[in-house]
Amino acid sequence: MAFYILIDKISETEREAFFRFYDTAYPDEVGELRLNKVTEAIEMTKPSRDAFFNRAAIKVARHFRDGSLPESTCWAS
C-alpha cells in the first residue's frame, strides 16, 4: 500500500511542537501529534490511523534530529 502523508506544523515553542497530518487518499482523517523537544517523545493528540501517525512521527523525528522542523513536509512511499 502506498502512502502520501502531508504534515504541517501547527505551532512550536522551545519545549514542544504540534503538527497535523493526513494521507492524501483520506483527507477527512486528519490527526495531530506533539513532539516533546526535551525527551524527543512523540504522541498522537488527535486520533487518526496508526499507520499514518507512525509515518508522520518518523518524519518529524528525522527532521528534529537533523536540526530543523519545517513548516510543511511529507512522507511518500
Side-chain angles (χ1 to χ4, degrees), residues 13-37:
T13 67
E14 197 172 299
R15 297 183 56 86
E16 59 190 8
F18 291 87
F19 294 84
R20 76 176 46 95
F21 61 91
Y22 64 93
D23 189 294
T24 56
Y26 303 93
D28 294 333
E29 295 184 30
V30 178
E32 293 181 5
L33 63 82
R34 180 179 75 90
L35 164 68
N36 181 319
K37 294 167 136 184

Side-chain angles (χ1 to χ4, degrees), residues 22-56:
Y22 64 93
D23 189 294
T24 56
Y26 303 93
D28 294 333
E29 295 184 30
V30 178
E32 293 181 5
L33 63 82
R34 180 179 75 90
L35 164 68
N36 181 319
K37 294 167 136 184
V38 177
T39 65
E40 296 187 25
I42 299 177
E43 65 178 324
M44 190 168 9
T45 56
K46 180 180 177 190
S48 183
R49 296 183 193 201
D50 285 337
F52 303 162
F53 167 70
N54 291 334
R55 287 159 176 80

Side-chain angles (χ1 to χ4, degrees), residues 41-73:
I42 299 177
E43 65 178 324
M44 190 168 9
T45 56
K46 180 180 177 190
S48 183
R49 296 183 193 201
D50 285 337
F52 303 162
F53 167 70
N54 291 334
R55 287 159 176 80
I58 289 169
K59 188 69 173 193
V60 167
R62 286 180 184 161
H63 280 295
F64 183 67
R65 289 187 190 121
D66 289 344
S68 69
L69 290 173
E71 294 299 315
S72 294
T73 189

Side-chain angles (χ1 to χ4, degrees), residues 3-21:
F3 294 93
Y4 192 79
I5 300 170
L6 297 179
I7 307 161
D8 297 313
K9 189 187 317 177
I10 299 169
S11 65
E12 181 177 9
T13 67
E14 197 172 299
R15 297 183 56 86
E16 59 190 8
F18 291 87
F19 294 84
R20 76 176 46 95
F21 61 91

